[in-house]
Amino acid sequence: MGWAVLCLMFCLASISSTTVPYGEDFKIPLPADASDVEFRHSSDHSVSVVFRINKGTLSSTPPGYQGRVSVQGGFLVVKAVTPGDEGNYTVWDKEQNVYIVLNLCGTEYSKSTNLSLADNLTLPLHSSASVEVLFAAA
């Protein structure tokens, strides 16, 4: 019976999709009485990670997320999104009601710039995907 109630609560929440370029921050809105944010990766829904929230602060950070996840101004912030952050984030309140479900989709970073001779260019690499750098004489 507990599973049916959980499924019903989860199914009634709408799922919003958000696209964030790799390397940028992802902000998840939190209700004032948020208790948990559960993350399930897009390629493996059987494994979940839970971020515990107590009185508006992060009280438990799972391994691998220290320094990358924080609570700021009513949001759970995941810093420098990577492909490993893609999936569903479910926010629960203290009564274990689903507040919101967000699906995060990452996109490759793209930037175009003009450089003068001897200028430096730094490229953020947040993916295992190949990198293509094109140079054209001006």
Side-chain angles (χ1 to χ4, degrees), residues 68-81:
R68 288 196 54 231
V69 178
S70 62
V71 174
Q72 300 172 9
F75 292 89
L76 181 77
V77 180
V78 179
K79 296 178 182 165
V81 165

Side-chain angles (χ1 to χ4, degrees), residues 2-97:
W3 172 250
V5 172
L6 175 63
C7 181
L8 180 61
M9 287 187 321
F10 186 77
C11 295
L12 291 177
S14 63
I15 299 176
S16 300
S17 289
T18 303
T19 302
V20 175
Y22 297 134
E24 293 194 11
D25 295 348
F26 174 48
K27 294 183 175 184
I28 303 163
L30 300 173
D33 63 344
S35 66
D36 298 319
V37 176
E38 180 183 35
F39 166 65
R40 291 189 183 270
H41 192 274
S42 57
S43 66
D44 185 1
H45 292 287
S46 66
V47 177
S48 68
V49 174
V50 177
F51 303 97
R52 302 257 181 241
I53 301 166
N54 186 13
K55 298 180 183 174
T57 61
L58 197 59
S59 62
S60 172
T61 305
Y65 290 92
Q66 289 87 2
R68 288 196 54 231
V69 178
S70 62
V71 174
Q72 300 172 9
F75 292 89
L76 181 77
V77 180
V78 179
K79 296 178 182 165
V81 165
T82 69
D85 298 320
E86 292 182 285
N88 287 338
Y89 291 80
T90 304
V91 179
W92 302 85
D93 66 16
K94 295 214 183 290
E95 271 70 56
Q96 294 304 299
N97 296 311

Side-chain angles (χ1 to χ4, degrees), residues 113 132-136:
T113 186
E132 183 176 297
V133 181
L134 303 174
F135 295 96

